[in-house]
């Protein structure tokens, strides 16, 4: 277990210097796109933007798990659910769990999204963050996030999200403020190209790109890349029954190895 703790310190040195809450591992579909999802034009990837509950899909549930860098003792799990409650708005919930035996992090996010026009959606969410460490006890904090998703040109989408803009403190340490800006181009009915940049105050800007391709209606193929360091990703999804999908994905870290992930999705349009 000590080797796992050393690995976490290696991966997140600047976060742990003055911050306590690491970003949850992306679910399988987002992971395989290099995390470039803030401008994704639809609800197929779940709550990748707080405005998504207002997009149009009636309801959906996503359950995902990953093994960061192949470490069996590092447990991660993710649940997302969203429900459209009106013609132009809806609610979502996102529950993320990550940790090892001696250190656990949990996030409960409650979001609301609303369509303001044919090409503009706004969203906001509140986070309840909880960390627990053996011999040090636990701490809980509350943060909020704001998002926008816009379609200014035909087949082009722009997305933005700011997380924890007031930088909440937990147990004397700072939860990071993160800004995400992205764009998506639906080149055809079967191809989507995505790009995104992510920045927080303690780390260099991270660049992300992704490609999603549907050779047939029941199959989707994805690939992506994110920087600092360069981490390629690959994944695929399969429609297994009406409304039910299975997604697999993985990301390769040049030093630490493979992070595999799997996800089951149910959606109703």
């Amino acid at each position: 277990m000590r080797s796992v703790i050393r690995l976490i310190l290696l991966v997140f040195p600047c976060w742990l210097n003055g911050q306590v809450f690491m970003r949850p591992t992306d679910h399988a579909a987002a992971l395989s796109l290099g995390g470039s999802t803030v401008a994704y034009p639809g609800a197929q990837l779940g709550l990748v933007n707080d405005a998504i509950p207002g997009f149009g899909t009636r309801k959906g549930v996503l359950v995902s798990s990953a093994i960061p860098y192949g470490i069996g003792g590092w447990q991660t799990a993710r649940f997302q659910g969203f429900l459209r409650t009106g013609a132009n708005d809806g609610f979502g919930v996102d529950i993320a769990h990550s940790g090892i035996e001696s250190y656990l992090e949990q996030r409960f996010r409650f979001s609301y999204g609303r369509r303001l026009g044919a090409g503009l959606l706004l969203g906001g969410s509140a986070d309840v963050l909880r960390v627990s460490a053996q011999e040090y006890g636990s701490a809980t904090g509350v943060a909020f996030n704001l998002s926008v998703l816009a379609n200014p040109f035909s087949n082009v989408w722009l997305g933005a999200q700011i997380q924890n803009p007031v930088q909440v403190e937990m147990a004397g340490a700072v939860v990071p403020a993160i800004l995400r800006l992205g764009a998506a181009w639906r080149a055809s009915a079967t191809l989507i190209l995505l790009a995104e940049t992510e920045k927080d105050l303690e780390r260099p800007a991270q660049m992300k790109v992704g490609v999603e391709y549907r050779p047939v209606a029941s199959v989707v193929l994805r690939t992506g890349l994110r920087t600092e360091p360069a981490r390629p990703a690959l994944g695929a999804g399969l429609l297994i029954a009406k409304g039910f999908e299975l997604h697999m994905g993985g990301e390769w870290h040049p030093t630490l190895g493979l992070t595999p992930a799997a996800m089951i999705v149910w959606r109703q349009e």
Side-chain angles (χ1 to χ4, degrees):
M1 188 57 64
R2 290 182 180 177
S3 62
V4 176
I5 296 175
R6 292 193 190 101
L7 179 58
I8 295 176
L9 291 171
L10 174 64
V11 178
F12 303 102
C14 57
W15 283 54
L16 299 179
N17 182 41
Q19 302 172 350
V20 296
F21 206 84
M22 298 181 292
R23 181 171 177 172
T25 302
D26 288 328
H27 61 58
L31 190 72
S32 59
L33 288 170
S36 56
T37 59
V38 73
Y40 190 87
Q44 290 89 338
L45 302 187
L47 301 174
V48 291
N49 183 308
D50 296 319
I52 288 298
F55 201 93
T57 299
R58 186 182 303 175
K59 50 189 170 183
V61 173
L62 298 83
V63 180
S64 179
S65 183
I67 307 175
Y69 314 112
I71 301 171
W74 191 342
Q75 302 175 357
T76 71
R78 196 95 178 253
F79 169 87
Q80 292 185 354
F82 55 93
L83 175 67
R84 193 179 70 201
T85 55
N88 297 305
D89 61 352
F91 293 88
V93 60
D94 183 353
I95 302 172
H97 168 89
S98 178
I100 58 177
E101 182 180 350
S102 56
Y103 181 77
L104 297 174
E105 294 185 344
Q106 294 173 322
R107 188 192 73 191
F108 303 87
R109 173 173 291 179
F110 305 93
S111 59
Y112 171 77
R114 183 171 183 83
R115 181 183 290 275
L116 300 182
L120 180 63
L121 298 96
L122 296 180
S125 61
D127 289 350
V128 178
L129 311 174
R130 178 177 172 80
V131 296
S132 177
Q134 287 184 2
E135 302 180 4
Y136 293 97
S138 61
T140 303
V142 178
F144 72 93
N145 317 281
L146 297 172
S147 298
V148 61
L149 189 60
N151 180 208
F153 312 108
S154 177
N155 298 322
V156 175
W157 288 83
L158 303 177
Q161 182 182 61
I162 182 168
Q163 303 177 20
N164 188 31
V166 298
Q167 288 199 287
V168 171
E169 291 192 6
M170 294 176 59
V174 179
V175 179
I178 299 174
L179 175 64
R180 300 171 63 200
L181 300 172
W185 176 37
R186 190 182 292 276
S188 69
T190 60
L191 179 65
I192 300 176
L193 307 178
L194 304 121
E196 180 178 325
T197 182
E198 177 181 314
K199 182 71 175 73
D200 73 42
L201 297 180
E202 301 295 332
R203 306 172 68 192
Q206 185 179 81
M207 302 303 297
K208 313 173 189 177
V209 292
V211 178
E212 181 179 276
Y213 174 61
R214 291 184 178 270
V216 295
S218 59
V219 175
V220 58
L221 305 176
R222 302 183 179 97
T223 186
L225 177 74
R226 74 179 87 198
T227 62
E228 301 300 330
R231 288 170 280 170
L234 192 67
L238 176 66
L239 178 66
I240 55 178
K242 184 178 181 180
F244 286 90
E245 302 171 6
L246 174 65
H247 297 265
M248 307 289 289
E251 181 183 80
W252 177 262
H253 191 289
T255 303
L256 304 173
L258 179 67
T259 296
M263 177 174 69
I264 296 177
V265 178
W266 173 78
R267 288 185 297 111
Q268 187 175 76
E269 300 294 340

Short mmCIF file of all heavy atoms in Angstrom, two decimals, residues 114-180:
data_model
loop_
_atom_site.label_atom_id
_atom_site.label_comp_id
_atom_site.label_asym_id
_atom_site.label_seq_id
_atom_site.Cartn_x
_atom_site.Cartn_y
_atom_site.Cartn_z
N ARG A 114 -30.50 24.48 -18.46
CA ARG A 114 -31.66 25.08 -19.12
C ARG A 114 -31.29 25.58 -20.51
O ARG A 114 -30.24 26.20 -20.71
CB ARG A 114 -32.21 26.25 -18.29
CG ARG A 114 -33.47 26.86 -18.89
CD ARG A 114 -34.11 27.86 -17.97
NE ARG A 114 -35.35 28.39 -18.53
CZ ARG A 114 -36.53 27.79 -18.46
NH1 ARG A 114 -36.64 26.63 -17.83
NH2 ARG A 114 -37.61 28.33 -18.99
N ARG A 115 -32.16 25.30 -21.46
CA ARG A 115 -31.99 25.81 -22.83
C ARG A 115 -32.64 27.19 -22.89
O ARG A 115 -33.84 27.35 -22.64
CB ARG A 115 -32.64 24.87 -23.83
CG ARG A 115 -32.49 25.32 -25.28
CD ARG A 115 -33.22 24.39 -26.23
NE ARG A 115 -32.57 23.09 -26.31
CZ ARG A 115 -31.55 22.82 -27.11
NH1 ARG A 115 -31.07 23.77 -27.91
NH2 ARG A 115 -31.03 21.62 -27.14
N LEU A 116 -31.83 28.21 -23.28
CA LEU A 116 -32.34 29.57 -23.39
C LEU A 116 -32.74 29.93 -24.81
O LEU A 116 -33.41 30.94 -25.04
CB LEU A 116 -31.28 30.56 -22.90
CG LEU A 116 -30.83 30.39 -21.45
CD1 LEU A 116 -29.83 31.47 -21.09
CD2 LEU A 116 -32.02 30.43 -20.51
N GLY A 117 -32.30 29.13 -25.77
CA GLY A 117 -32.62 29.37 -27.17
C GLY A 117 -32.20 28.18 -27.99
O GLY A 117 -31.67 27.20 -27.47
N ALA A 118 -32.38 28.27 -29.30
CA ALA A 118 -32.06 27.14 -30.16
C ALA A 118 -30.59 26.76 -30.08
O ALA A 118 -30.24 25.59 -30.24
CB ALA A 118 -32.44 27.47 -31.60
N GLY A 119 -29.71 27.74 -29.81
CA GLY A 119 -28.28 27.45 -29.79
C GLY A 119 -27.57 27.86 -28.54
O GLY A 119 -26.36 28.09 -28.56
N LEU A 120 -28.28 27.94 -27.40
CA LEU A 120 -27.64 28.38 -26.16
C LEU A 120 -28.24 27.65 -24.96
O LEU A 120 -29.44 27.66 -24.76
CB LEU A 120 -27.80 29.89 -25.97
CG LEU A 120 -27.17 30.48 -24.70
CD1 LEU A 120 -25.66 30.28 -24.71
CD2 LEU A 120 -27.53 31.95 -24.57
N LEU A 121 -27.36 27.03 -24.17
CA LEU A 121 -27.77 26.36 -22.94
C LEU A 121 -26.85 26.81 -21.81
O LEU A 121 -25.64 26.98 -21.99
CB LEU A 121 -27.68 24.84 -23.07
CG LEU A 121 -28.56 24.17 -24.11
CD1 LEU A 121 -27.76 23.95 -25.40
CD2 LEU A 121 -29.07 22.81 -23.61
N LEU A 122 -27.44 27.01 -20.63
CA LEU A 122 -26.69 27.37 -19.44
C LEU A 122 -26.90 26.31 -18.37
O LEU A 122 -27.95 25.64 -18.33
CB LEU A 122 -27.13 28.73 -18.91
CG LEU A 122 -26.87 29.96 -19.79
CD1 LEU A 122 -27.38 31.21 -19.10
CD2 LEU A 122 -25.40 30.09 -20.12
N GLY A 123 -25.94 26.16 -17.50
CA GLY A 123 -26.06 25.19 -16.43
C GLY A 123 -25.26 25.60 -15.21
O GLY A 123 -24.32 26.39 -15.28
N GLY A 124 -25.64 25.06 -14.09
CA GLY A 124 -24.91 25.29 -12.84
C GLY A 124 -25.02 24.07 -11.96
O GLY A 124 -25.93 23.24 -12.13
N SER A 125 -24.09 23.93 -11.04
CA SER A 125 -24.13 22.77 -10.14
C SER A 125 -23.50 23.12 -8.81
O SER A 125 -22.72 24.07 -8.69
CB SER A 125 -23.39 21.58 -10.78
OG SER A 125 -22.03 21.89 -11.01
N ALA A 126 -23.84 22.33 -7.81
CA ALA A 126 -23.26 22.43 -6.47
C ALA A 126 -22.60 21.11 -6.13
O ALA A 126 -23.16 20.04 -6.41
CB ALA A 126 -24.34 22.78 -5.45
N ASP A 127 -21.42 21.18 -5.55
CA ASP A 127 -20.66 19.99 -5.17
C ASP A 127 -20.58 19.88 -3.66
O ASP A 127 -20.34 20.87 -2.96
CB ASP A 127 -19.22 20.07 -5.70
CG ASP A 127 -19.12 19.90 -7.20
OD1 ASP A 127 -20.13 19.53 -7.81
OD2 ASP A 127 -18.03 20.13 -7.74
N VAL A 128 -20.76 18.67 -3.18
CA VAL A 128 -20.42 18.34 -1.80
C VAL A 128 -19.19 17.44 -1.87
O VAL A 128 -19.24 16.35 -2.42
CB VAL A 128 -21.58 17.63 -1.08
CG1 VAL A 128 -21.16 17.25 0.34
CG2 VAL A 128 -22.82 18.50 -1.05
N LEU A 129 -18.06 17.92 -1.34
CA LEU A 129 -16.78 17.22 -1.41
C LEU A 129 -16.42 16.66 -0.04
O LEU A 129 -16.54 17.35 0.97
CB LEU A 129 -15.68 18.18 -1.87
CG LEU A 129 -15.98 19.02 -3.11
CD1 LEU A 129 -14.87 20.03 -3.34
CD2 LEU A 129 -16.16 18.14 -4.32
N ARG A 130 -15.96 15.42 -0.05
CA ARG A 130 -15.58 14.79 1.22
C ARG A 130 -14.27 14.03 1.04
O ARG A 130 -14.10 13.28 0.08
CB ARG A 130 -16.68 13.83 1.70
CG ARG A 130 -16.33 13.10 3.00
CD ARG A 130 -17.48 12.23 3.48
NE ARG A 130 -17.08 11.41 4.61
CZ ARG A 130 -17.00 11.81 5.87
NH1 ARG A 130 -17.30 13.07 6.15
NH2 ARG A 130 -16.62 10.99 6.82
N VAL A 131 -13.34 14.25 1.97
CA VAL A 131 -12.08 13.52 1.98
C VAL A 131 -11.91 12.86 3.34
O VAL A 131 -12.37 13.38 4.36
CB VAL A 131 -10.88 14.45 1.69
CG1 VAL A 131 -10.97 15.02 0.29
CG2 VAL A 131 -10.78 15.56 2.72
N SER A 132 -11.28 11.70 3.33
CA SER A 132 -11.06 10.95 4.57
C SER A 132 -9.70 10.29 4.51
O SER A 132 -9.38 9.62 3.52
CB SER A 132 -12.16 9.89 4.75
OG SER A 132 -11.93 9.11 5.90
N ALA A 133 -8.88 10.48 5.55
CA ALA A 133 -7.55 9.90 5.61
C ALA A 133 -7.34 9.26 6.98
O ALA A 133 -7.67 9.85 8.01
CB ALA A 133 -6.47 10.94 5.37
N GLN A 134 -6.82 8.04 6.98
CA GLN A 134 -6.54 7.37 8.24
C GLN A 134 -5.59 8.21 9.07
O GLN A 134 -4.64 8.81 8.56
CB GLN A 134 -5.92 5.99 7.97
CG GLN A 134 -6.90 4.97 7.44
CD GLN A 134 -6.26 3.60 7.27
OE1 GLN A 134 -5.10 3.40 7.57
NE2 GLN A 134 -7.03 2.64 6.76
N GLU A 135 -5.86 8.27 10.36
CA GLU A 135 -5.06 8.99 11.35
C GLU A 135 -5.23 10.50 11.27
O GLU A 135 -4.74 11.22 12.14
CB GLU A 135 -3.57 8.64 11.24
CG GLU A 135 -3.28 7.17 11.41
CD GLU A 135 -1.78 6.87 11.29
OE1 GLU A 135 -1.00 7.85 11.16
OE2 GLU A 135 -1.42 5.69 11.31
N TYR A 136 -5.92 11.00 10.20
CA TYR A 136 -6.10 12.45 10.08
C TYR A 136 -7.58 12.85 10.11
O TYR A 136 -7.89 14.04 10.10
CB TYR A 136 -5.46 12.94 8.79
CG TYR A 136 -3.95 12.82 8.80
CD1 TYR A 136 -3.34 11.72 8.20
CD2 TYR A 136 -3.16 13.78 9.40
CE1 TYR A 136 -1.95 11.59 8.22
CE2 TYR A 136 -1.77 13.66 9.41
CZ TYR A 136 -1.18 12.56 8.82
OH TYR A 136 0.18 12.42 8.84
N GLY A 137 -8.49 11.89 10.08
CA GLY A 137 -9.91 12.20 10.12
C GLY A 137 -10.46 12.54 8.75
O GLY A 137 -9.90 12.15 7.72
N SER A 138 -11.55 13.29 8.71
CA SER A 138 -12.23 13.61 7.46
C SER A 138 -12.60 15.08 7.42
O SER A 138 -12.59 15.77 8.45
CB SER A 138 -13.48 12.75 7.30
OG SER A 138 -14.39 12.98 8.36
N ALA A 139 -12.92 15.55 6.23
CA ALA A 139 -13.34 16.94 6.04
C ALA A 139 -14.36 16.99 4.92
O ALA A 139 -14.35 16.16 4.00
CB ALA A 139 -12.14 17.82 5.70
N THR A 140 -15.26 17.96 5.00
CA THR A 140 -16.31 18.14 4.01
C THR A 140 -16.38 19.60 3.59
O THR A 140 -16.23 20.50 4.42
CB THR A 140 -17.68 17.69 4.57
OG1 THR A 140 -17.60 16.33 4.99
CG2 THR A 140 -18.77 17.83 3.52
N GLY A 141 -16.58 19.83 2.30
CA GLY A 141 -16.71 21.19 1.79
C GLY A 141 -17.76 21.27 0.71
O GLY A 141 -18.22 20.24 0.18
N VAL A 142 -18.16 22.48 0.37
CA VAL A 142 -19.18 22.72 -0.65
C VAL A 142 -18.62 23.70 -1.67
O VAL A 142 -18.02 24.72 -1.30
CB VAL A 142 -20.48 23.27 -0.04
CG1 VAL A 142 -21.51 23.56 -1.14
CG2 VAL A 142 -21.06 22.28 0.96
N ALA A 143 -18.79 23.40 -2.96
CA ALA A 143 -18.34 24.27 -4.04
C ALA A 143 -19.44 24.39 -5.08
O ALA A 143 -20.45 23.66 -5.02
CB ALA A 143 -17.06 23.72 -4.68
N PHE A 144 -19.26 25.30 -6.04
CA PHE A 144 -20.25 25.42 -7.12
C PHE A 144 -19.53 25.59 -8.44
O PHE A 144 -18.34 25.92 -8.51
CB PHE A 144 -21.22 26.58 -6.86
CG PHE A 144 -20.61 27.95 -7.02
CD1 PHE A 144 -20.69 28.62 -8.22
CD2 PHE A 144 -20.00 28.57 -5.94
CE1 PHE A 144 -20.13 29.88 -8.38
CE2 PHE A 144 -19.44 29.84 -6.08
CZ PHE A 144 -19.51 30.50 -7.30
N ASN A 145 -20.28 25.36 -9.54
CA ASN A 145 -19.73 25.39 -10.88
C ASN A 145 -20.73 26.05 -11.83
O ASN A 145 -21.94 25.97 -11.61
CB ASN A 145 -19.43 23.97 -11.38
CG ASN A 145 -18.78 23.11 -10.32
OD1 ASN A 145 -17.59 23.21 -10.08
ND2 ASN A 145 -19.56 22.24 -9.67
N LEU A 146 -20.23 26.67 -12.89
CA LEU A 146 -21.06 27.29 -13.91
C LEU A 146 -20.62 26.81 -15.28
O LEU A 146 -19.42 26.65 -15.53
CB LEU A 146 -20.96 28.82 -13.84
CG LEU A 146 -21.43 29.48 -12.55
CD1 LEU A 146 -21.09 30.96 -12.54
CD2 LEU A 146 -22.93 29.29 -12.36
N SER A 147 -21.59 26.60 -16.19
CA SER A 147 -21.28 26.07 -17.52
C SER A 147 -22.14 26.74 -18.59
O SER A 147 -23.24 27.23 -18.30
CB SER A 147 -21.53 24.56 -17.58
OG SER A 147 -20.71 23.85 -16.69
N VAL A 148 -21.61 26.74 -19.81
CA VAL A 148 -22.37 27.22 -20.96
C VAL A 148 -22.06 26.30 -22.14
O VAL A 148 -20.94 25.80 -22.28
CB VAL A 148 -22.02 28.69 -21.30
CG1 VAL A 148 -20.55 28.83 -21.66
CG2 VAL A 148 -22.89 29.22 -22.42
N LEU A 149 -23.06 26.08 -22.99
CA LEU A 149 -22.92 25.29 -24.20
C LEU A 149 -23.66 26.04 -25.31
O LEU A 149 -24.84 26.34 -25.17
CB LEU A 149 -23.51 23.90 -24.00
CG LEU A 149 -23.29 22.85 -25.08
CD1 LEU A 149 -21.80 22.59 -25.28
CD2 LEU A 149 -23.99 21.54 -24.72
N ALA A 150 -22.93 26.37 -26.37
CA ALA A 150 -23.50 27.21 -27.42
C ALA A 150 -23.25 26.62 -28.79
O ALA A 150 -22.25 25.93 -29.02
CB ALA A 150 -22.91 28.63 -27.35
N ASN A 151 -24.17 26.92 -29.72
CA ASN A 151 -24.09 26.46 -31.11
C ASN A 151 -24.14 27.68 -32.03
O ASN A 151 -25.15 27.94 -32.68
CB ASN A 151 -25.25 25.50 -31.38
CG ASN A 151 -25.29 24.94 -32.78
OD1 ASN A 151 -26.34 24.61 -33.29
ND2 ASN A 151 -24.13 24.81 -33.42
N PRO A 152 -23.03 28.48 -32.10
CA PRO A 152 -23.07 29.74 -32.84
C PRO A 152 -23.09 29.57 -34.35
O PRO A 152 -23.55 30.47 -35.07
CB PRO A 152 -21.79 30.45 -32.40
CG PRO A 152 -20.86 29.33 -32.04
CD PRO A 152 -21.74 28.25 -31.47
N PHE A 153 -22.55 28.45 -34.85
CA PHE A 153 -22.51 28.19 -36.29
C PHE A 153 -23.01 26.78 -36.55
O PHE A 153 -23.00 25.92 -35.66
CB PHE A 153 -21.08 28.34 -36.83
CG PHE A 153 -20.39 29.59 -36.39
CD1 PHE A 153 -19.37 29.53 -35.47
CD2 PHE A 153 -20.78 30.82 -36.88
CE1 PHE A 153 -18.73 30.68 -35.04
CE2 PHE A 153 -20.15 31.98 -36.47
CZ PHE A 153 -19.12 31.91 -35.55
N SER A 154 -23.42 26.55 -37.77
CA SER A 154 -23.92 25.23 -38.14
C SER A 154 -22.86 24.16 -37.87
O SER A 154 -21.71 24.28 -38.32
CB SER A 154 -24.30 25.23 -39.62
OG SER A 154 -24.72 23.94 -40.03
N ASN A 155 -23.24 23.15 -37.09
CA ASN A 155 -22.39 21.99 -36.78
C ASN A 155 -21.19 22.32 -35.90
O ASN A 155 -20.31 21.46 -35.71
CB ASN A 155 -21.90 21.31 -38.06
CG ASN A 155 -23.05 20.77 -38.89
OD1 ASN A 155 -24.02 20.26 -38.34
ND2 ASN A 155 -22.94 20.88 -40.21
N VAL A 156 -21.10 23.53 -35.36
CA VAL A 156 -20.01 23.91 -34.47
C VAL A 156 -20.58 24.25 -33.08
O VAL A 156 -21.49 25.07 -32.97
CB VAL A 156 -19.22 25.11 -35.01
CG1 VAL A 156 -18.17 25.57 -34.00
CG2 VAL A 156 -18.55 24.75 -36.34
N TRP A 157 -20.00 23.62 -32.04
CA TRP A 157 -20.43 23.85 -30.67
C TRP A 157 -19.25 24.36 -29.85
O TRP A 157 -18.11 23.93 -30.04
CB TRP A 157 -20.97 22.56 -30.04
CG TRP A 157 -22.30 22.16 -30.59
CD1 TRP A 157 -22.55 21.48 -31.74
CD2 TRP A 157 -23.57 22.45 -30.03
NE1 TRP A 157 -23.90 21.32 -31.93
CE2 TRP A 157 -24.55 21.90 -30.89
CE3 TRP A 157 -24.00 23.12 -28.88
CZ2 TRP A 157 -25.92 22.00 -30.62
CZ3 TRP A 157 -25.35 23.21 -28.61
CH2 TRP A 157 -26.29 22.66 -29.48
N LEU A 158 -19.53 25.28 -28.94
CA LEU A 158 -18.55 25.81 -28.01
C LEU A 158 -19.02 25.54 -26.59
O LEU A 158 -20.21 25.68 -26.28
CB LEU A 158 -18.36 27.32 -28.21
CG LEU A 158 -17.96 27.78 -29.61
CD1 LEU A 158 -17.89 29.30 -29.66
CD2 LEU A 158 -16.62 27.16 -30.02
N GLY A 159 -18.10 25.14 -25.72
CA GLY A 159 -18.45 24.84 -24.34
C GLY A 159 -17.46 25.45 -23.37
O GLY A 159 -16.27 25.59 -23.68
N ALA A 160 -17.94 25.83 -22.20
CA ALA A 160 -17.07 26.38 -21.15
C ALA A 160 -17.61 25.98 -19.79
O ALA A 160 -18.82 25.85 -19.61
CB ALA A 160 -16.99 27.90 -21.26
N GLN A 161 -16.70 25.78 -18.88
CA GLN A 161 -17.08 25.43 -17.50
C GLN A 161 -16.04 25.98 -16.55
O GLN A 161 -14.83 25.85 -16.78
CB GLN A 161 -17.19 23.92 -17.33
CG GLN A 161 -17.63 23.49 -15.94
CD GLN A 161 -17.69 21.98 -15.79
OE1 GLN A 161 -16.68 21.30 -15.94
NE2 GLN A 161 -18.87 21.45 -15.50
N ILE A 162 -16.50 26.62 -15.48
CA ILE A 162 -15.61 27.04 -14.41
C ILE A 162 -16.03 26.32 -13.14
O ILE A 162 -17.20 26.35 -12.75
CB ILE A 162 -15.61 28.57 -14.22
CG1 ILE A 162 -14.62 28.94 -13.11
CG2 ILE A 162 -16.99 29.12 -13.97
CD1 ILE A 162 -14.31 30.42 -13.03
N GLN A 163 -15.07 25.63 -12.54
CA GLN A 163 -15.34 24.83 -11.34
C GLN A 163 -14.70 25.50 -10.13
O GLN A 163 -13.54 25.88 -10.16
CB GLN A 163 -14.77 23.42 -11.50
CG GLN A 163 -15.30 22.67 -12.71
CD GLN A 163 -14.65 21.31 -12.87
OE1 GLN A 163 -14.09 20.75 -11.95
NE2 GLN A 163 -14.73 20.77 -14.07
N ASN A 164 -15.48 25.65 -9.08
CA ASN A 164 -15.00 26.18 -7.81
C ASN A 164 -14.30 27.53 -7.98
O ASN A 164 -13.14 27.70 -7.59
CB ASN A 164 -14.05 25.17 -7.15
CG ASN A 164 -13.66 25.59 -5.74
OD1 ASN A 164 -14.42 26.22 -5.03
ND2 ASN A 164 -12.45 25.24 -5.35
N PRO A 165 -14.96 28.54 -8.55
CA PRO A 165 -14.30 29.83 -8.80
C PRO A 165 -13.86 30.56 -7.54
O PRO A 165 -12.95 31.39 -7.60
CB PRO A 165 -15.36 30.63 -9.56
CG PRO A 165 -16.67 29.99 -9.19
CD PRO A 165 -16.36 28.53 -9.02
N VAL A 166 -14.48 30.27 -6.39
CA VAL A 166 -14.08 30.96 -5.16
C VAL A 166 -13.05 30.19 -4.36
O VAL A 166 -12.63 30.61 -3.30
CB VAL A 166 -15.32 31.23 -4.27
CG1 VAL A 166 -16.30 32.14 -4.98
CG2 VAL A 166 -16.01 29.92 -3.87
N GLN A 167 -12.59 29.04 -4.88
CA GLN A 167 -11.54 28.23 -4.26
C GLN A 167 -11.84 27.91 -2.79
O GLN A 167 -11.29 28.48 -1.86
CB GLN A 167 -10.19 28.90 -4.38
CG GLN A 167 -9.63 28.88 -5.79
CD GLN A 167 -8.14 29.12 -5.83
OE1 GLN A 167 -7.70 30.24 -5.60
NE2 GLN A 167 -7.37 28.09 -6.08
N VAL A 168 -12.72 26.96 -2.60
CA VAL A 168 -13.10 26.49 -1.27
C VAL A 168 -11.91 25.83 -0.58
O VAL A 168 -11.11 25.15 -1.20
CB VAL A 168 -14.27 25.48 -1.39
CG1 VAL A 168 -14.55 24.81 -0.06
CG2 VAL A 168 -15.50 26.20 -1.91
N GLU A 169 -11.80 26.06 0.72
CA GLU A 169 -10.77 25.41 1.52
C GLU A 169 -11.36 24.25 2.31
O GLU A 169 -12.48 24.33 2.80
CB GLU A 169 -10.12 26.40 2.48
CG GLU A 169 -9.28 27.46 1.81
CD GLU A 169 -8.44 28.25 2.80
OE1 GLU A 169 -8.44 27.89 3.99
OE2 GLU A 169 -7.79 29.21 2.37
N MET A 170 -10.60 23.16 2.40
CA MET A 170 -10.99 22.00 3.20
C MET A 170 -9.79 21.59 4.04
O MET A 170 -8.70 21.36 3.50
CB MET A 170 -11.42 20.84 2.30
CG MET A 170 -12.69 21.09 1.52
SD MET A 170 -13.08 19.71 0.38
CE MET A 170 -13.20 18.35 1.55
N ALA A 171 -9.98 21.53 5.35
CA ALA A 171 -8.93 21.12 6.27
C ALA A 171 -7.66 21.94 6.08
O ALA A 171 -6.55 21.42 6.15
CB ALA A 171 -8.63 19.63 6.10
N GLY A 172 -7.82 23.22 5.80
CA GLY A 172 -6.68 24.10 5.65
C GLY A 172 -6.01 24.06 4.30
O GLY A 172 -5.00 24.74 4.07
N ALA A 173 -6.51 23.28 3.37
CA ALA A 173 -5.95 23.19 2.02
C ALA A 173 -7.00 23.65 1.01
O ALA A 173 -8.20 23.67 1.28
CB ALA A 173 -5.49 21.78 1.72
N VAL A 174 -6.54 24.01 -0.18
CA VAL A 174 -7.40 24.63 -1.19
C VAL A 174 -7.86 23.61 -2.23
O VAL A 174 -7.04 22.86 -2.77
CB VAL A 174 -6.67 25.79 -1.90
CG1 VAL A 174 -7.55 26.41 -2.97
CG2 VAL A 174 -6.26 26.84 -0.88
N VAL A 175 -9.15 23.58 -2.49
CA VAL A 175 -9.69 22.79 -3.60
C VAL A 175 -9.48 23.60 -4.89
O VAL A 175 -9.82 24.78 -4.93
CB VAL A 175 -11.18 22.48 -3.39
CG1 VAL A 175 -11.73 21.69 -4.56
CG2 VAL A 175 -11.38 21.74 -2.09
N PRO A 176 -8.90 23.03 -5.94
CA PRO A 176 -8.51 23.83 -7.10
C PRO A 176 -9.68 24.43 -7.86
O PRO A 176 -10.75 23.83 -7.98
CB PRO A 176 -7.76 22.83 -7.99
CG PRO A 176 -8.28 21.50 -7.57
CD PRO A 176 -8.54 21.61 -6.10
N ALA A 177 -9.47 25.64 -8.38
CA ALA A 177 -10.40 26.25 -9.34
C ALA A 177 -9.94 25.84 -10.74
O ALA A 177 -8.75 25.92 -11.04
CB ALA A 177 -10.39 27.77 -9.20
N ILE A 178 -10.87 25.40 -11.57
CA ILE A 178 -10.53 24.87 -12.89
C ILE A 178 -11.38 25.55 -13.95
O ILE A 178 -12.61 25.68 -13.79
CB ILE A 178 -10.75 23.35 -12.95
CG1 ILE A 178 -9.85 22.64 -11.92
CG2 ILE A 178 -10.48 22.81 -14.34
CD1 ILE A 178 -10.12 21.15 -11.80
N LEU A 179 -10.75 25.98 -15.04
CA LEU A 179 -11.44 26.55 -16.18
C LEU A 179 -11.26 25.64 -17.38
O LEU A 179 -10.12 25.27 -17.72
CB LEU A 179 -10.89 27.94 -16.51
CG LEU A 179 -11.45 28.60 -17.78
CD1 LEU A 179 -12.94 28.88 -17.63
CD2 LEU A 179 -10.69 29.89 -18.10
N ARG A 180 -12.37 25.27 -18.04
CA ARG A 180 -12.33 24.43 -19.23
C ARG A 180 -13.00 25.18 -20.39
O ARG A 180 -14.10 25.71 -20.24
CB ARG A 180 -13.07 23.12 -19.00
CG ARG A 180 -12.52 22.27 -17.87
CD ARG A 180 -13.43 21.09 -17.58
NE ARG A 180 -13.53 20.19 -18.71
CZ ARG A 180 -14.53 19.32 -18.88
NH1 ARG A 180 -15.54 19.25 -18.01
NH2 ARG A 180 -14.54 18.51 -19.94
#
